[in-house]
C-alpha cells in the first residue's frame, strides 16, 4: 500500500449554504457514502460564501450527531475569538456526549482586522486582535483553558461542568510555520489549505515539533467526487507532502446525490 492509498477521505459542509432539509440529506449521504469524518464551519454570516444565512456550528453538529451513528464530526475550524473558552469547552463536551465520542475540535486563531473573513466580527463589535502574535497567543490560552475546564482533575470551582475522561482531540488550522510548530508541540493534528504555497513546509514544521508522537495532518481541497479515489494524482500530491487526511470542502449548497456518488470509491 503506497502513501496515497492510506489517505483518509473526509468531507466538510457549509451548514448555512442551504435549507435544513438539504443539509440533513447531505449529512446522511456523507455517512452512507463512507466518508470518515464530517466537518463544518464556524461563521456567523453566510455572506462571504454567497449565502443568505449561517447556522451556528455547535448547534448544527448536535443535530448531525443525532442523525448519524458512525461518521466522525468536527469543526474546521472554530475561531478562538468567537466564544469564551468556557463556553467553547461546554459546547465541545456536549457534542462529544451526544455523538458518543465522535467529535474532534478543530480550532484556529482567526483572521486579521479588516480582512474579508473578519467582517462578521467587525459587524458584531468583536474586533479581532491586531497582531498575529496576539491572535496566536489567544489561541494558546483558549486551548489551555478548554483542557482545564474539561479535565477530571480540575479545580473544585468547576464542579458540575462537563468533564471528559478521555482528553478532547484538538487540531489546529494553520497557515504559518510558527503556528504549525505550536500545533505540533501542543495539539493532536494540523489542517492546512491546499492553496497554501508553503503547505509542505508547514506540515514538516508541525511534524518536527510533534517529535514522533501521534500527530495527524489533513489538507483541505475543493469537493469533487473523483478526489475520493486515492489513486487520483491530486490525492497523491497531498500524500507526498505528508497528509494523512483529505478534507473535501463543499462551500455552496450541497448536492446529496453527488455526495452519495462518492460511495463507489469509499465503500
Amino acid at each position: 500500500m503506497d502513501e496515497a492509498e492510506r489517505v483518509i477521505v473526509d468531507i466538510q459542509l457549509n451548514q448555512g449554504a442551504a435549507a435544513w432539509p438539504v443539509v440533513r440529506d447531505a449529512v446522511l449521504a456523507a455517512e452512507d457514502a463512507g466518508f470518515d469524518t464530517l466537518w463544518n464551519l464556524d461563521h456567523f454570516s453566510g455572506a462571504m460564501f454567497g449565502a443568505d444565512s449561517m447556522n451556528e456550528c455547535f448547534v448544527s453538529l448536535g443535530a448531525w450527531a443525532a442523525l448519524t451513528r458512525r461518521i466522525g464530526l468536527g469543526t474546521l475550524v472554530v475561531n478562538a475569538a468567537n466564544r469564551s473558552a468556557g463556553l467553547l469547552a461546554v459546547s465541545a463536551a456536549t457534542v462529544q456526549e451526544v455523538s458518543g465520542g465522535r467529535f474532534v475540535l478543530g480550532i484556529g486563531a482567526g483572521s486579521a482586522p479588516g480582512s474579508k473573513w473578519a467582517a462578521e466580527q467587525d459587524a458584531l463589535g468583536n474586533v479581532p486582535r491586531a497582531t498575529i502574535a496576539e491572535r496566536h497567543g489567544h489561541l494558546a490560552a483558549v486551548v489551555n483553558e478548554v483542557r482545564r475546564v474539561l479535565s477530571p482533575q480540575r479545580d473544585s470551582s468547576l464542579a458540575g461542568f462537563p468533564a471528559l475522561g478521555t482528553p478532547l482531540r484538538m487540531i489546529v488550522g494553520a497557515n504559518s510555520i510558527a503556528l504549525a510548530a505550536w500545533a505540533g508541540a501542543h495539539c493532536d493534528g494540523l489542517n492546512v489549505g491546499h492553496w497554501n504555497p508553503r503547505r509542505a513546509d508547514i506540515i514538516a514544521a508541525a511534524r518536527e515539533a510533534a517529535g514522533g508522537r501521534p500527530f495527524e495532518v489533513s489538507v483541505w481541497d475543493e469537493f469533487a467526487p473523483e478526489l475520493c479515489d486515492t489513486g487520483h494524482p491530486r490525492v497523491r500530491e497531498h500524500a507526498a507532502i505528508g497528509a494523512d487526511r483529505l478534507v473535501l470542502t463543499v462551500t455552496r449548497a450541497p448536492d446529496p446525490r453527488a455526495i452519495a456518488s462518492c460511495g463507489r470509491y469509499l465503500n
Side-chain angles (χ1 to χ4, degrees):
M1 181 182 292
D2 66 19
E3 289 178 330
E5 290 173 328
R6 292 193 294 269
V7 171
I8 298 166
V9 183
D10 297 344
I11 189 168
Q12 180 184 37
L13 299 180
N14 175 352
Q15 68 271 18
W20 165 243
V22 177
V23 174
R24 177 196 60 211
D25 290 350
V27 168
L28 294 172
E31 177 160 73
D32 290 345
F35 285 98
D36 185 84
T37 300
L38 172 63
W39 306 86
N40 74 358
L41 305 168
D42 181 29
H43 286 283
F44 299 145
S45 168
M48 64 191 69
F49 302 102
D52 293 332
S53 187
M54 177 61 69
N55 290 333
E56 199 278 330
C57 72
F58 286 103
V59 175
S60 297
L61 285 173
W64 297 4
L67 281 174
T68 58
R69 295 293 177 268
R70 175 201 60 81
I71 197 166
L73 300 167
T75 53
L76 200 64
V77 289
V78 160
N79 185 337
N82 279 354
R83 299 164 189 79
S84 69
L87 175 58
L88 177 57
V90 172
S91 298
T94 301
V95 177
Q96 182 73 317
E97 179 176 355
V98 173
S99 67
R102 291 181 282 143
F103 177 66
V104 178
L105 178 62
I107 189 167
S111 299
S115 68
K116 167 188 174 182
W117 302 104
E120 59 189 12
Q121 276 79 35
D122 294 337
L124 296 174
N126 181 24
V127 179
R129 287 162 175 80
T131 69
I132 191 168
E134 289 174 323
R135 294 192 294 277
H136 287 182
H138 179 66
L139 169 62
V142 168
V143 167
N144 289 336
E145 181 67 359
V146 167
R147 286 177 172 151
R148 185 185 76 88
V149 170
L150 298 181
S151 171
Q153 288 76 45
R154 65 204 176 184
D155 184 86
S156 60
S157 64
L158 293 169
F161 283 69
L164 298 178
T166 302
L168 188 67
R169 286 183 60 219
M170 295 192 204
I171 69 167
V172 176
N175 290 312
S176 70
I177 298 293
L179 188 54
W182 182 87
H186 297 282
C187 291
D188 305 299
L190 172 86
N191 178 262
V192 63
H194 72 99
W195 52 267
N196 193 312
R198 302 191 68 192
R199 59 191 180 278
D201 294 334
I202 287 169
I203 291 171
R207 290 211 184 276
E208 181 179 358
R213 67 181 178 83
F215 188 82
E216 195 168 61
V217 170
S218 61
V219 174
W220 71 263
D221 206 335
E222 285 88 358
F223 174 81
E226 59 269 24
L227 294 184
C228 295
D229 177 3
T230 56
H232 192 282
R234 196 172 179 101
V235 180
R236 291 183 175 277
E237 289 177 9
H238 296 319
I241 61 171
D244 303 299
R245 289 180 181 267
L246 174 61
V247 181
L248 299 179
T249 300
V250 184
T251 56
R252 301 293 183 176
D255 180 350
R257 292 172 298 179
I259 293 171
S261 75
C262 297
R264 67 183 184 271
Y265 301 113
L266 300 172
N267 284 322

